[in-house]
Amino acid sequence: MLTFIGLGLYDERSVTVEGREALRAADRAFAEFYTSRLVGADVANLEASHDVDIEVRDRAGVEQDPEPILEAAASGDAAFLAAGDTMISTTHTDLRLRAEERGIDTRVIHGVTAQSAASSLTGLQNYRFGKATTLPFPYAHGGDDVPASVVETIEANRERGLHTVVYLDIKVGTGPTGPDPDHEEYMTADVAAGLLAENWGDELAVVVARAGSPDAVVAADRLSALAERDFGDPLHLLVIPGDLHHVEADALVGLADAPESLVGE
């Protein structure tokens, strides 16, 4: 059996009870933290809390050399861990399909995701979100501006009146000069707002910082204004709202301190 377990958003307590029980029952546990991480816990915290040893795999160790994970699942019960949900945004479908092709049973134990938290914390209705996008560091895509794919996604959603979740780049194990095992970098919302302000400087946006933590921050203002603020430790994301239902507008004022004049525009 290979069980994919979403660890949730923040620390060692964010996993569901079902996920915790499956993790503790596993013969071997593997994890990846190159696509996201728990900012409130490290591997040692997870191991101590759940009484397991966790083998952390880098991107190559999951995508190019998954054999140790598959062998562990073929001969016993293996758990594969990732922050959030292992199959939402952080997609490990290829690993699951490889297991199924070898006759290994699989199951998914879901975790809370940044996308669902963004809707819950901001008051923006989940069914009014369009396609999400990821804003990379400029050095990661070889330019100083916002990639055309990001612009096109946001504009396509805006034309339909839909909200856009903008995930912010994470670089673990690679940096501006290439592979670097010691490099760990997280784009912050002020930097992201500054980049997006070049295209939509006066447009409304919403910052969600440290979703799932005791000190989560939700702040709505113009992109140009958000670019001047400090939102503290990662992880951060941005939401570019589309057309606002009156309840959503009220929520942004009440929950995210949006200027009333801005949400009424």
Side-chain angles (χ1 to χ4, degrees), residues 146 188-199 223-224 226-228 238:
V146 176
T188 56
D190 58 308
V191 170
L195 290 169
L196 295 177
E198 296 179 13
N199 292 82
L223 280 165
S224 55
L226 296 174
E228 301 299 321
L238 277 173

Side-chain angles (χ1 to χ4, degrees), residues 11-176:
D11 62 16
E12 69 276 11
R13 301 169 300 168
S14 299
V15 66
T16 65
V17 172
E18 182 184 14
R20 181 187 66 194
E21 292 174 350
L23 175 56
R24 292 178 176 180
D27 299 312
R28 290 178 68 182
F30 302 86
E32 68 86 356
F33 296 111
Y34 55 82
T35 50
S36 189
R37 60 163 286 195
L38 301 176
V39 295
D42 58 18
V43 174
N45 296 137
L46 288 168
E47 291 179 324
S49 179
H50 301 298
D51 193 26
V52 295
D53 293 323
I54 297 173
E55 303 171 48
V56 178
R57 307 283 287 178
D58 61 14
R59 186 181 295 274
V62 174
E63 298 177 357
Q64 300 172 28
D65 182 28
E67 196 59 31
I69 302 172
L70 295 172
E71 288 181 354
S75 60
D77 287 333
F80 183 83
L81 317 173
D85 187 298
T86 59
M87 296 298 170
I88 304 297
S89 297
T90 304
T91 304
H92 295 291
T93 304
D94 180 70
L95 180 59
R96 189 180 184 194
L97 290 174
R98 287 174 186 252
E100 292 285 347
E101 288 169 359
R102 291 176 54 161
I104 299 168
D105 290 333
T106 66
R107 63 171 171 160
V108 179
I109 299 176
H110 301 287
V112 178
T113 68
Q115 173 113 23
S116 62
S119 176
S120 297
L121 289 171
T122 62
L124 297 175
Q125 297 167 5
N126 183 62
Y127 64 87
R128 294 169 60 86
F129 280 81
K131 178 182 177 182
T133 189
T134 298
L135 181 63
F137 287 108
Y139 69 76
H141 70 94
D144 296 326
D145 55 358
V146 176
S149 60
V150 176
V151 175
E152 290 165 3
T153 295
I154 294 173
E155 285 297 340
N157 285 339
R158 281 161 54 86
E159 288 174 7
R160 300 172 60 197
L162 301 177
H163 315 313
T164 306
V165 169
V166 182
Y167 297 112
L168 307 186
D169 204 0
I170 294 173
K171 285 288 179 279
V172 176
T174 185

Side-chain angles (χ1 to χ4, degrees), residues 187-212:
M187 183 181 288
T188 56
D190 58 308
V191 170
L195 290 169
L196 295 177
E198 296 179 13
N199 292 82
W200 306 283
D202 288 331
E203 294 297 327
L204 173 67
V206 191
V207 170
V208 177
R210 294 176 302 286

